[in-house]
Amino acid sequence: MATSKHKVVSQKEWLAARKALLAKEKKFTHLREQLAQQRRQLPWVKVEKEYVFDGPKGRETLSDLFDGKSQLVVYHFMFGPGWEEGCSHCSFWGDHYDGMGVHLNQRDVSFVVVSRAPLAEILPFKKRMGWNFKWVSSFPNDFNYDFHASFRPEEIEFVVDTARSMEEVLTRDIKKVPALRGKTVVNLFFEASTRTRTSFEMAGKRLSADVVNFSSATSSITKGETLLDTARNIEAMKPNILVVRHPASGAPHFLSRHLSCSIVNAGDGANEHPSQGLLDLYTILKAKGKVAGLKVAIVGDILHSRVVRSDLHSLGRMGAKMWLCGPATLLPREMARTGATLTSDIREAVRGADVIIMLRIQLERQKTAYFPSLREYSRRYGLNRTVFSLAKDDAVIMHPGPINRGVELSDDLADCGQSLILDQVASGVAVRMALLYLLAGGSHAAH
Ligand code: CP
């Protein structure tokens, strides 16, 4: 924390502020205890599948992990296949497990740490950290997926496969199928968009849905109507899908709790942009044939980027080695928890990269000065020919758009043969057709 501008007050004022904070801390502790109680009261599920883990003693079943005790505590340590090190938050707790085990054992409780990484990757990291607790790999089984600790790559692959079928439709003379005839898609956009809004509109039309575009600037929002009231009024007209973009993180999730139609997040604040994450994955798969093992460097305003957060899910989940690069002020340290490598040196990020995703500086979301000037930012974090020459010879350049030419990306690189920027836009239609189809479509939608 910067201390130079910190407020200095009298002892009396400090005590009053401390007491006010203490009251909040007590409330928080109370809420946490309530939550812990609710966790203990969660219903149980009978485990009938046999899960076999790779552990220090070889193959061990879930029953073996109880180690003769009546209860087993399983900690999911975020450490996926191919990661060089585990999540830093989990590692903080890892530093305390060796002391805790003995107390749990006294209470007839066994304790085990589980990760998706293969045991051969877990053991060197465990040794490096000097830990002794029991750590097993769920790599050979479905334990993480069945208990909702990890997304299944198959779920992402299913969307990608559907997008491939949709792309075939887009190659036909008549680029239209009747899959969503009679369905209505409403694009509810509370923030500017060129690509996403047009792409969802085109996707809906290609599937024969009725598509209605809503713009907040010409709506009753300008007269003071709330987001929920606006959305409820639109839902009263019986759409099947609302595609929502909003400057507030969580707005689509909020609406999904109140409305019964399907909601698609088309970008919410600095939180997520899931369809962009999927189209980035799709574009890379088309260009490179695979994602697993590729070095993907994302450079720019990481802090405010919803694209990064979704790319970490889509590309990271499919096994890419993710590198995030930007000025230290725009590079949240906790993002290392996802397994991504963080650096403020663009050369380190780009060196040997297969894919470079450049991001725009999001001045509209920045509440303070994160760097001295755009000129300096461009000099240190802009991609130009010299920096790009450090990447693999066949490296590709991507950008979710809109581009600020000459700031994050030089003009010639934006339009060069290795730029996939317009391919991303083209992929967007196929991917969004897949999403709309799977949400409101035909026989496959039940999956
Ligand atoms: N990539 C992206 O979300 O672009 P738009 O803001 O133009 O939709």
Side-chain angles (χ1 to χ4, degrees), residues 195 276 279-280 283-284 297-301 305 307 311 355-362 377 383 396-410 413-414 418-426:
R195 282 144 290 267
Q276 181 75 42
L279 77 87
D280 286 350
T283 307
I284 295 171
I298 308 186
V299 183
D301 184 352
S305 174
V307 174
D311 278 352
V355 178
I356 302 160
I357 302 179
M358 299 306 296
L359 300 174
R360 180 175 66 88
I361 284 291
Q362 302 203 19
Y377 173 84
L383 189 68
V396 291
I397 300 167
M398 296 169 60
H399 194 306
I403 306 173
N404 284 138
R405 285 172 183 264
V407 179
E408 67 268 14
L409 193 54
S410 67
L413 284 181
Q418 285 167 267
S419 164
L420 295 184
I421 295 170
L422 293 180
D423 301 64
Q424 287 172 270
V425 180

mmCIF file of all heavy atoms in Angstrom, residues 195 276 279-280 283-284 297-301 305 307 311 355-362 377 383 396-410 413-414 418-426:
data_model
loop_
_atom_site.group_PDB
_atom_site.id
_atom_site.type_symbol
_atom_site.label_atom_id
_atom_site.label_comp_id
_atom_site.label_asym_id
_atom_site.label_seq_id
_atom_site.Cartn_x
_atom_site.Cartn_y
_atom_site.Cartn_z
ATOM 1 N N ARG A 195 -18.441 -5.357 -32.554
ATOM 2 C CA ARG A 195 -18.319 -6.768 -32.914
ATOM 3 C C ARG A 195 -19.371 -7.650 -32.239
ATOM 4 O O ARG A 195 -20.086 -8.403 -32.911
ATOM 5 C CB ARG A 195 -16.921 -7.296 -32.537
ATOM 6 C CG ARG A 195 -15.834 -6.906 -33.491
ATOM 7 C CD ARG A 195 -14.542 -6.650 -32.732
ATOM 8 N NE ARG A 195 -14.699 -5.424 -31.970
ATOM 9 C CZ ARG A 195 -14.339 -4.224 -32.435
ATOM 10 N NH1 ARG A 195 -13.741 -4.134 -33.580
ATOM 11 N NH2 ARG A 195 -14.563 -3.136 -31.731
ATOM 12 N N GLN A 276 -16.235 -14.229 -26.123
ATOM 13 C CA GLN A 276 -14.933 -13.831 -26.668
ATOM 14 C C GLN A 276 -13.887 -14.896 -26.329
ATOM 15 O O GLN A 276 -13.058 -15.259 -27.170
ATOM 16 C CB GLN A 276 -14.511 -12.471 -26.092
ATOM 17 C CG GLN A 276 -13.184 -11.960 -26.625
ATOM 18 C CD GLN A 276 -13.272 -11.423 -28.046
ATOM 19 O OE1 GLN A 276 -14.229 -10.727 -28.372
ATOM 20 N NE2 GLN A 276 -12.299 -11.745 -28.888
ATOM 21 N N LEU A 279 -14.451 -17.710 -28.706
ATOM 22 C CA LEU A 279 -14.074 -17.444 -30.105
ATOM 23 C C LEU A 279 -12.558 -17.333 -30.239
ATOM 24 O O LEU A 279 -11.990 -17.687 -31.278
ATOM 25 C CB LEU A 279 -14.817 -16.225 -30.670
ATOM 26 C CG LEU A 279 -14.394 -14.806 -30.296
ATOM 27 C CD1 LEU A 279 -13.303 -14.281 -31.199
ATOM 28 C CD2 LEU A 279 -15.605 -13.884 -30.416
ATOM 29 N N ASP A 280 -11.888 -16.875 -29.176
ATOM 30 C CA ASP A 280 -10.417 -16.852 -29.206
ATOM 31 C C ASP A 280 -9.885 -18.280 -29.282
ATOM 32 O O ASP A 280 -8.962 -18.584 -30.062
ATOM 33 C CB ASP A 280 -9.850 -16.127 -27.972
ATOM 34 C CG ASP A 280 -10.037 -14.605 -28.069
ATOM 35 O OD1 ASP A 280 -10.425 -14.135 -29.159
ATOM 36 O OD2 ASP A 280 -9.804 -13.906 -27.071
ATOM 37 N N THR A 283 -10.514 -19.636 -32.771
ATOM 38 C CA THR A 283 -9.612 -19.044 -33.765
ATOM 39 C C THR A 283 -8.230 -19.697 -33.687
ATOM 40 O O THR A 283 -7.611 -20.002 -34.717
ATOM 41 C CB THR A 283 -9.493 -17.519 -33.523
ATOM 42 O OG1 THR A 283 -10.805 -16.970 -33.471
ATOM 43 C CG2 THR A 283 -8.692 -16.826 -34.611
ATOM 44 N N ILE A 284 -7.755 -19.911 -32.457
ATOM 45 C CA ILE A 284 -6.419 -20.526 -32.298
ATOM 46 C C ILE A 284 -6.451 -21.976 -32.787
ATOM 47 O O ILE A 284 -5.527 -22.436 -33.469
ATOM 48 C CB ILE A 284 -5.952 -20.438 -30.828
ATOM 49 C CG1 ILE A 284 -5.761 -18.967 -30.431
ATOM 50 C CG2 ILE A 284 -4.657 -21.213 -30.610
ATOM 51 C CD1 ILE A 284 -5.500 -18.728 -28.961
ATOM 52 N N ALA A 297 0.674 -15.346 -24.915
ATOM 53 C CA ALA A 297 1.012 -14.148 -24.136
ATOM 54 C C ALA A 297 -0.098 -13.107 -24.326
ATOM 55 O O ALA A 297 -0.421 -12.764 -25.465
ATOM 56 C CB ALA A 297 2.344 -13.589 -24.613
ATOM 57 N N ILE A 298 -0.689 -12.661 -23.231
ATOM 58 C CA ILE A 298 -1.700 -11.602 -23.305
ATOM 59 C C ILE A 298 -1.071 -10.345 -22.709
ATOM 60 O O ILE A 298 -0.589 -10.363 -21.572
ATOM 61 C CB ILE A 298 -2.988 -11.977 -22.541
ATOM 62 C CG1 ILE A 298 -3.496 -13.352 -22.993
ATOM 63 C CG2 ILE A 298 -4.052 -10.913 -22.737
ATOM 64 C CD1 ILE A 298 -4.842 -13.760 -22.421
ATOM 65 N N VAL A 299 -1.057 -9.273 -23.502
ATOM 66 C CA VAL A 299 -0.305 -8.076 -23.112
ATOM 67 C C VAL A 299 -1.230 -6.871 -23.067
ATOM 68 O O VAL A 299 -1.967 -6.619 -24.027
ATOM 69 C CB VAL A 299 0.832 -7.786 -24.129
ATOM 70 C CG1 VAL A 299 1.665 -6.582 -23.678
ATOM 71 C CG2 VAL A 299 1.718 -9.007 -24.332
ATOM 72 N N GLY A 300 -1.184 -6.126 -21.974
ATOM 73 C CA GLY A 300 -1.929 -4.863 -21.924
ATOM 74 C C GLY A 300 -2.559 -4.616 -20.573
ATOM 75 O O GLY A 300 -1.969 -4.926 -19.529
ATOM 76 N N ASP A 301 -3.775 -4.086 -20.614
ATOM 77 C CA ASP A 301 -4.493 -3.705 -19.395
ATOM 78 C C ASP A 301 -5.175 -4.942 -18.812
ATOM 79 O O ASP A 301 -6.384 -5.134 -18.961
ATOM 80 C CB ASP A 301 -5.519 -2.618 -19.784
ATOM 81 C CG ASP A 301 -6.268 -2.072 -18.590
ATOM 82 O OD1 ASP A 301 -6.109 -2.623 -17.482
ATOM 83 O OD2 ASP A 301 -7.021 -1.092 -18.770
ATOM 84 N N SER A 305 -9.408 -6.100 -17.923
ATOM 85 C CA SER A 305 -9.810 -6.877 -19.095
ATOM 86 C C SER A 305 -10.703 -8.069 -18.749
ATOM 87 O O SER A 305 -10.272 -9.017 -18.096
ATOM 88 C CB SER A 305 -8.570 -7.391 -19.835
ATOM 89 O OG SER A 305 -8.987 -8.248 -20.869
ATOM 90 N N VAL A 307 -11.750 -9.882 -21.151
ATOM 91 C CA VAL A 307 -11.315 -10.888 -22.136
ATOM 92 C C VAL A 307 -10.276 -11.815 -21.493
ATOM 93 O O VAL A 307 -10.329 -13.036 -21.649
ATOM 94 C CB VAL A 307 -10.746 -10.201 -23.397
ATOM 95 C CG1 VAL A 307 -10.160 -11.230 -24.358
ATOM 96 C CG2 VAL A 307 -11.829 -9.389 -24.092
ATOM 97 N N ASP A 311 -10.445 -15.721 -21.318
ATOM 98 C CA ASP A 311 -9.409 -16.500 -22.024
ATOM 99 C C ASP A 311 -8.703 -17.461 -21.061
ATOM 100 O O ASP A 311 -8.293 -18.552 -21.445
ATOM 101 C CB ASP A 311 -8.375 -15.570 -22.670
ATOM 102 C CG ASP A 311 -8.849 -15.022 -24.018
ATOM 103 O OD1 ASP A 311 -9.903 -15.473 -24.506
ATOM 104 O OD2 ASP A 311 -8.175 -14.140 -24.580
ATOM 105 N N VAL A 355 1.207 -17.501 -29.613
ATOM 106 C CA VAL A 355 0.063 -16.599 -29.809
ATOM 107 C C VAL A 355 0.277 -15.370 -28.938
ATOM 108 O O VAL A 355 0.637 -15.497 -27.764
ATOM 109 C CB VAL A 355 -1.261 -17.295 -29.375
ATOM 110 C CG1 VAL A 355 -2.442 -16.351 -29.524
ATOM 111 C CG2 VAL A 355 -1.492 -18.577 -30.157
ATOM 112 N N ILE A 356 0.069 -14.189 -29.531
ATOM 113 C CA ILE A 356 0.168 -12.950 -28.740
ATOM 114 C C ILE A 356 -1.183 -12.244 -28.848
ATOM 115 O O ILE A 356 -1.645 -11.938 -29.963
ATOM 116 C CB ILE A 356 1.284 -12.039 -29.270
ATOM 117 C CG1 ILE A 356 2.612 -12.798 -29.247
ATOM 118 C CG2 ILE A 356 1.383 -10.766 -28.444
ATOM 119 C CD1 ILE A 356 3.649 -12.196 -30.162
ATOM 120 N N ILE A 357 -1.804 -12.038 -27.710
ATOM 121 C CA ILE A 357 -3.097 -11.341 -27.701
ATOM 122 C C ILE A 357 -2.858 -9.957 -27.103
ATOM 123 O O ILE A 357 -2.456 -9.838 -25.941
ATOM 124 C CB ILE A 357 -4.152 -12.117 -26.871
ATOM 125 C CG1 ILE A 357 -4.321 -13.535 -27.447
ATOM 126 C CG2 ILE A 357 -5.482 -11.361 -26.845
ATOM 127 C CD1 ILE A 357 -5.317 -14.410 -26.700
ATOM 128 N N MET A 358 -3.043 -8.939 -27.911
ATOM 129 C CA MET A 358 -2.821 -7.570 -27.447
ATOM 130 C C MET A 358 -4.154 -6.996 -26.957
ATOM 131 O O MET A 358 -5.203 -7.256 -27.546
ATOM 132 C CB MET A 358 -2.255 -6.703 -28.579
ATOM 133 C CG MET A 358 -0.920 -7.169 -29.112
ATOM 134 S SD MET A 358 0.360 -7.357 -27.830
ATOM 135 C CE MET A 358 0.541 -5.669 -27.248
ATOM 136 N N LEU A 359 -4.084 -6.207 -25.891
ATOM 137 C CA LEU A 359 -5.298 -5.620 -25.326
ATOM 138 C C LEU A 359 -5.229 -4.109 -25.383
ATOM 139 O O LEU A 359 -4.154 -3.525 -25.292
ATOM 140 C CB LEU A 359 -5.455 -6.035 -23.864
ATOM 141 C CG LEU A 359 -5.569 -7.528 -23.577
ATOM 142 C CD1 LEU A 359 -5.566 -7.744 -22.074
ATOM 143 C CD2 LEU A 359 -6.834 -8.106 -24.195
ATOM 144 N N ARG A 360 -6.396 -3.534 -25.442
ATOM 145 C CA ARG A 360 -6.525 -2.079 -25.436
ATOM 146 C C ARG A 360 -6.409 -1.578 -23.986
ATOM 147 O O ARG A 360 -6.814 -2.265 -23.045
ATOM 148 C CB ARG A 360 -7.928 -1.760 -25.973
ATOM 149 C CG ARG A 360 -8.327 -0.346 -26.083
ATOM 150 C CD ARG A 360 -9.699 -0.272 -26.753
ATOM 151 N NE ARG A 360 -10.761 -0.859 -25.950
ATOM 152 C CZ ARG A 360 -11.478 -0.213 -25.034
ATOM 153 N NH1 ARG A 360 -11.240 1.065 -24.786
ATOM 154 N NH2 ARG A 360 -12.430 -0.811 -24.342
ATOM 155 N N ILE A 361 -5.861 -0.381 -23.843
ATOM 156 C CA ILE A 361 -5.895 0.272 -22.536
ATOM 157 C C ILE A 361 -7.320 0.790 -22.334
ATOM 158 O O ILE A 361 -7.814 1.587 -23.134
ATOM 159 C CB ILE A 361 -4.882 1.434 -22.497
ATOM 160 C CG1 ILE A 361 -3.470 0.883 -22.350
ATOM 161 C CG2 ILE A 361 -5.173 2.423 -21.399
ATOM 162 C CD1 ILE A 361 -3.188 0.248 -20.994
ATOM 163 N N GLN A 362 -7.977 0.343 -21.285
ATOM 164 C CA GLN A 362 -9.397 0.673 -21.104
ATOM 165 C C GLN A 362 -9.538 1.944 -20.266
ATOM 166 O O GLN A 362 -9.874 1.882 -19.080
ATOM 167 C CB GLN A 362 -10.121 -0.496 -20.457
ATOM 168 C CG GLN A 362 -9.969 -1.747 -21.297
ATOM 169 C CD GLN A 362 -11.058 -2.756 -21.033
ATOM 170 O OE1 GLN A 362 -12.112 -2.455 -20.508
ATOM 171 N NE2 GLN A 362 -10.808 -3.975 -21.432
ATOM 172 N N TYR A 377 3.543 4.245 -22.300
ATOM 173 C CA TYR A 377 2.945 2.904 -22.292
ATOM 174 C C TYR A 377 3.238 2.193 -23.624
ATOM 175 O O TYR A 377 3.659 1.048 -23.670
ATOM 176 C CB TYR A 377 1.424 2.986 -22.064
ATOM 177 C CG TYR A 377 0.776 1.631 -22.215
ATOM 178 C CD1 TYR A 377 0.742 0.740 -21.149
ATOM 179 C CD2 TYR A 377 0.265 1.214 -23.451
ATOM 180 C CE1 TYR A 377 0.205 -0.535 -21.302
ATOM 181 C CE2 TYR A 377 -0.265 -0.051 -23.609
ATOM 182 C CZ TYR A 377 -0.302 -0.908 -22.528
ATOM 183 O OH TYR A 377 -0.812 -2.170 -22.692
ATOM 184 N N LEU A 383 3.264 -3.605 -29.219
ATOM 185 C CA LEU A 383 3.906 -4.649 -30.023
ATOM 186 C C LEU A 383 4.345 -4.049 -31.345
ATOM 187 O O LEU A 383 3.526 -3.514 -32.111
ATOM 188 C CB LEU A 383 2.919 -5.814 -30.267
ATOM 189 C CG LEU A 383 3.533 -7.058 -30.914
ATOM 190 C CD1 LEU A 383 4.510 -7.756 -29.945
ATOM 191 C CD2 LEU A 383 2.445 -8.055 -31.332
ATOM 192 N N VAL A 396 1.160 -15.973 -34.096
ATOM 193 C CA VAL A 396 0.035 -15.184 -34.619
ATOM 194 C C VAL A 396 -0.319 -14.081 -33.627
ATOM 195 O O VAL A 396 -0.057 -14.194 -32.421
ATOM 196 C CB VAL A 396 -1.202 -16.074 -34.883
ATOM 197 C CG1 VAL A 396 -0.946 -17.014 -36.054
ATOM 198 C CG2 VAL A 396 -1.615 -16.858 -33.640
ATOM 199 N N ILE A 397 -0.894 -13.010 -34.167
ATOM 200 C CA ILE A 397 -1.273 -11.845 -33.353
ATOM 201 C C ILE A 397 -2.797 -11.776 -33.296
ATOM 202 O O ILE A 397 -3.467 -11.905 -34.331
ATOM 203 C CB ILE A 397 -0.733 -10.544 -33.969
ATOM 204 C CG1 ILE A 397 0.785 -10.590 -34.049
ATOM 205 C CG2 ILE A 397 -1.205 -9.324 -33.172
ATOM 206 C CD1 ILE A 397 1.376 -9.493 -34.926
ATOM 207 N N MET A 398 -3.308 -11.583 -32.097
ATOM 208 C CA MET A 398 -4.761 -11.452 -31.953
ATOM 209 C C MET A 398 -5.087 -10.203 -31.134
ATOM 210 O O MET A 398 -4.230 -9.657 -30.434
ATOM 211 C CB MET A 398 -5.345 -12.704 -31.271
ATOM 212 C CG MET A 398 -5.162 -13.948 -32.123
ATOM 213 S SD MET A 398 -5.537 -15.508 -31.293
ATOM 214 C CE MET A 398 -7.224 -15.335 -30.837
ATOM 215 N N HIS A 399 -6.326 -9.780 -31.228
ATOM 216 C CA HIS A 399 -6.780 -8.598 -30.476
ATOM 217 C C HIS A 399 -8.307 -8.664 -30.468
ATOM 218 O O HIS A 399 -8.913 -8.855 -31.526
ATOM 219 C CB HIS A 399 -6.303 -7.328 -31.196
ATOM 220 C CG HIS A 399 -6.421 -6.077 -30.373
ATOM 221 N ND1 HIS A 399 -7.603 -5.682 -29.771
ATOM 222 C CD2 HIS A 399 -5.515 -5.120 -30.050
ATOM 223 C CE1 HIS A 399 -7.402 -4.542 -29.116
ATOM 224 N NE2 HIS A 399 -6.138 -4.183 -29.263
ATOM 225 N N PRO A 400 -8.929 -8.510 -29.294
ATOM 226 C CA PRO A 400 -10.398 -8.610 -29.272
ATOM 227 C C PRO A 400 -11.077 -7.419 -29.921
ATOM 228 O O PRO A 400 -12.262 -7.494 -30.255
ATOM 229 C CB PRO A 400 -10.726 -8.690 -27.776
ATOM 230 C CG PRO A 400 -9.554 -8.057 -27.092
ATOM 231 C CD PRO A 400 -8.357 -8.323 -27.954
ATOM 232 N N GLY A 401 -10.323 -6.327 -30.123
ATOM 233 C CA GLY A 401 -10.890 -5.101 -30.678
ATOM 234 C C GLY A 401 -11.680 -4.365 -29.604
ATOM 235 O O GLY A 401 -12.080 -4.962 -28.611
ATOM 236 N N PRO A 402 -11.937 -3.090 -29.770
ATOM 237 C CA PRO A 402 -11.387 -2.234 -30.807
ATOM 238 C C PRO A 402 -9.892 -1.955 -30.569
ATOM 239 O O PRO A 402 -9.458 -1.857 -29.434
ATOM 240 C CB PRO A 402 -12.206 -0.947 -30.676
ATOM 241 C CG PRO A 402 -12.755 -0.958 -29.282
ATOM 242 C CD PRO A 402 -12.843 -2.378 -28.838
ATOM 243 N N ILE A 403 -9.157 -1.813 -31.696
ATOM 244 C CA ILE A 403 -7.703 -1.575 -31.610
ATOM 245 C C ILE A 403 -7.444 -0.075 -31.492
ATOM 246 O O ILE A 403 -8.116 0.726 -32.149
ATOM 247 C CB ILE A 403 -6.991 -2.025 -32.903
ATOM 248 C CG1 ILE A 403 -7.320 -3.473 -33.248
ATOM 249 C CG2 ILE A 403 -5.496 -1.829 -32.815
ATOM 250 C CD1 ILE A 403 -6.761 -3.890 -34.611
ATOM 251 N N ASN A 404 -6.473 0.282 -30.679
ATOM 252 C CA ASN A 404 -5.941 1.652 -30.736
ATOM 253 C C ASN A 404 -4.622 1.557 -31.493
ATOM 254 O O ASN A 404 -3.572 1.275 -30.901
ATOM 255 C CB ASN A 404 -5.724 2.225 -29.333
ATOM 256 C CG ASN A 404 -7.035 2.634 -28.668
ATOM 257 O OD1 ASN A 404 -7.240 2.393 -27.497
ATOM 258 N ND2 ASN A 404 -7.942 3.231 -29.424
ATOM 259 N N ARG A 405 -4.715 1.767 -32.813
ATOM 260 C CA ARG A 405 -3.527 1.619 -33.652
ATOM 261 C C ARG A 405 -2.433 2.577 -33.193
ATOM 262 O O ARG A 405 -2.720 3.730 -32.867
ATOM 263 C CB ARG A 405 -3.873 1.896 -35.116
ATOM 264 C CG ARG A 405 -4.634 0.759 -35.767
ATOM 265 C CD ARG A 405 -5.139 1.120 -37.136
ATOM 266 N NE ARG A 405 -5.912 0.018 -37.685
ATOM 267 C CZ ARG A 405 -5.429 -0.916 -38.504
ATOM 268 N NH1 ARG A 405 -4.168 -0.860 -38.907
ATOM 269 N NH2 ARG A 405 -6.198 -1.889 -38.937
ATOM 270 N N GLY A 406 -1.223 2.048 -33.166
ATOM 271 C CA GLY A 406 -0.102 2.900 -32.763
ATOM 272 C C GLY A 406 0.065 2.991 -31.255
ATOM 273 O O GLY A 406 1.038 3.573 -30.782
ATOM 274 N N VAL A 407 -0.893 2.462 -30.479
ATOM 275 C CA VAL A 407 -0.703 2.436 -29.015
ATOM 276 C C VAL A 407 -0.261 1.029 -28.620
ATOM 277 O O VAL A 407 0.913 0.800 -28.346
ATOM 278 C CB VAL A 407 -1.987 2.867 -28.264
ATOM 279 C CG1 VAL A 407 -1.756 2.805 -26.741
ATOM 280 C CG2 VAL A 407 -2.407 4.263 -28.672
ATOM 281 N N GLU A 408 -1.185 0.059 -28.635
ATOM 282 C CA GLU A 408 -0.789 -1.303 -28.236
ATOM 283 C C GLU A 408 -0.251 -2.119 -29.411
ATOM 284 O O GLU A 408 0.404 -3.146 -29.221
ATOM 285 C CB GLU A 408 -1.941 -2.061 -27.550
ATOM 286 C CG GLU A 408 -3.130 -2.404 -28.417
ATOM 287 C CD GLU A 408 -4.223 -1.338 -28.371
ATOM 288 O OE1 GLU A 408 -3.942 -0.233 -27.876
ATOM 289 O OE2 GLU A 408 -5.340 -1.604 -28.852
ATOM 290 N N LEU A 409 -0.525 -1.676 -30.624
ATOM 291 C CA LEU A 409 -0.151 -2.467 -31.796
ATOM 292 C C LEU A 409 0.211 -1.541 -32.938
ATOM 293 O O LEU A 409 -0.548 -0.602 -33.243
ATOM 294 C CB LEU A 409 -1.377 -3.322 -32.172
ATOM 295 C CG LEU A 409 -1.226 -4.461 -33.162
ATOM 296 C CD1 LEU A 409 -0.126 -5.420 -32.726
ATOM 297 C CD2 LEU A 409 -2.542 -5.216 -33.288
ATOM 298 N N SER A 410 1.363 -1.824 -33.580
ATOM 299 C CA SER A 410 1.748 -0.958 -34.700
ATOM 300 C C SER A 410 0.832 -1.264 -35.886
ATOM 301 O O SER A 410 0.326 -2.388 -36.027
ATOM 302 C CB SER A 410 3.216 -1.171 -35.066
ATOM 303 O OG SER A 410 3.403 -2.462 -35.592
ATOM 304 N N LEU A 413 1.704 -4.349 -38.082
ATOM 305 C CA LEU A 413 1.437 -5.660 -37.491
ATOM 306 C C LEU A 413 -0.059 -5.953 -37.436
ATOM 307 O O LEU A 413 -0.484 -7.099 -37.600
ATOM 308 C CB LEU A 413 2.044 -5.750 -36.080
ATOM 309 C CG LEU A 413 3.550 -5.936 -35.998
ATOM 310 C CD1 LEU A 413 3.997 -6.025 -34.545
ATOM 311 C CD2 LEU A 413 4.005 -7.185 -36.749
ATOM 312 N N ALA A 414 -0.854 -4.916 -37.212
ATOM 313 C CA ALA A 414 -2.314 -5.123 -37.137
ATOM 314 C C ALA A 414 -2.836 -5.736 -38.439
ATOM 315 O O ALA A 414 -3.779 -6.526 -38.430
ATOM 316 C CB ALA A 414 -3.019 -3.801 -36.847
ATOM 317 N N GLN A 418 0.293 -12.417 -40.367
ATOM 318 C CA GLN A 418 0.207 -13.223 -39.141
ATOM 319 C C GLN A 418 -0.840 -12.696 -38.162
ATOM 320 O O GLN A 418 -0.975 -13.207 -37.062
ATOM 321 C CB GLN A 418 1.590 -13.300 -38.484
ATOM 322 C CG GLN A 418 2.501 -14.264 -39.242
ATOM 323 C CD GLN A 418 3.950 -14.153 -38.825
ATOM 324 O OE1 GLN A 418 4.717 -13.406 -39.439
ATOM 325 N NE2 GLN A 418 4.346 -14.859 -37.793
ATOM 326 N N SER A 419 -1.563 -11.673 -38.596
ATOM 327 C CA SER A 419 -2.622 -11.137 -37.726
ATOM 328 C C SER A 419 -3.910 -11.927 -37.943
ATOM 329 O O SER A 419 -4.352 -12.123 -39.077
ATOM 330 C CB SER A 419 -2.853 -9.659 -38.064
ATOM 331 O OG SER A 419 -4.094 -9.243 -37.523
ATOM 332 N N LEU A 420 -4.516 -12.379 -36.828
ATOM 333 C CA LEU A 420 -5.782 -13.138 -36.923
ATOM 334 C C LEU A 420 -6.960 -12.283 -36.453
ATOM 335 O O LEU A 420 -8.012 -12.810 -36.100
ATOM 336 C CB LEU A 420 -5.700 -14.391 -36.044
ATOM 337 C CG LEU A 420 -4.678 -15.464 -36.411
ATOM 338 C CD1 LEU A 420 -4.817 -16.661 -35.474
ATOM 339 C CD2 LEU A 420 -4.859 -15.919 -37.845
ATOM 340 N N ILE A 421 -6.767 -10.976 -36.441
ATOM 341 C CA ILE A 421 -7.774 -10.114 -35.813
ATOM 342 C C ILE A 421 -9.130 -10.207 -36.526
ATOM 343 O O ILE A 421 -10.173 -10.328 -35.874
ATOM 344 C CB ILE A 421 -7.245 -8.661 -35.732
ATOM 345 C CG1 ILE A 421 -6.024 -8.642 -34.798
ATOM 346 C CG2 ILE A 421 -8.320 -7.709 -35.233
ATOM 347 C CD1 ILE A 421 -5.234 -7.359 -34.785
ATOM 348 N N LEU A 422 -9.115 -10.230 -37.843
ATOM 349 C CA LEU A 422 -10.394 -10.338 -38.548
ATOM 350 C C LEU A 422 -10.909 -11.783 -38.543
ATOM 351 O O LEU A 422 -12.116 -12.012 -38.592
ATOM 352 C CB LEU A 422 -10.270 -9.781 -39.976
ATOM 353 C CG LEU A 422 -10.025 -8.266 -40.017
ATOM 354 C CD1 LEU A 422 -9.900 -7.771 -41.454
ATOM 355 C CD2 LEU A 422 -11.116 -7.489 -39.289
ATOM 356 N N ASP A 423 -9.986 -12.756 -38.439
ATOM 357 C CA ASP A 423 -10.426 -14.157 -38.293
ATOM 358 C C ASP A 423 -11.213 -14.321 -36.989
ATOM 359 O O ASP A 423 -12.174 -15.089 -36.921
ATOM 360 C CB ASP A 423 -9.226 -15.109 -38.258
ATOM 361 C CG ASP A 423 -8.377 -15.000 -39.508
ATOM 362 O OD1 ASP A 423 -7.800 -13.910 -39.735
ATOM 363 O OD2 ASP A 423 -8.314 -15.973 -40.250
ATOM 364 N N GLN A 424 -10.775 -13.600 -35.935
ATOM 365 C CA GLN A 424 -11.501 -13.669 -34.663
ATOM 366 C C GLN A 424 -12.943 -13.206 -34.866
ATOM 367 O O GLN A 424 -13.878 -13.812 -34.354
ATOM 368 C CB GLN A 424 -10.838 -12.773 -33.612
ATOM 369 C CG GLN A 424 -9.537 -13.304 -33.067
ATOM 370 C CD GLN A 424 -8.853 -12.259 -32.183
ATOM 371 O OE1 GLN A 424 -8.069 -11.454 -32.656
ATOM 372 N NE2 GLN A 424 -9.159 -12.258 -30.897
ATOM 373 N N VAL A 425 -13.087 -12.105 -35.603
ATOM 374 C CA VAL A 425 -14.429 -11.557 -35.819
ATOM 375 C C VAL A 425 -15.275 -12.569 -36.602
ATOM 376 O O VAL A 425 -16.438 -12.826 -36.269
ATOM 377 C CB VAL A 425 -14.348 -10.201 -36.555
ATOM 378 C CG1 VAL A 425 -15.741 -9.633 -36.781
ATOM 379 C CG2 VAL A 425 -13.501 -9.217 -35.757
ATOM 380 N N ALA A 426 -14.653 -13.197 -37.611
ATOM 381 C CA ALA A 426 -15.396 -14.191 -38.405
ATOM 382 C C ALA A 426 -15.785 -15.381 -37.534
ATOM 383 O O ALA A 426 -16.933 -15.842 -37.573
ATOM 384 C CB ALA A 426 -14.538 -14.643 -39.589
#
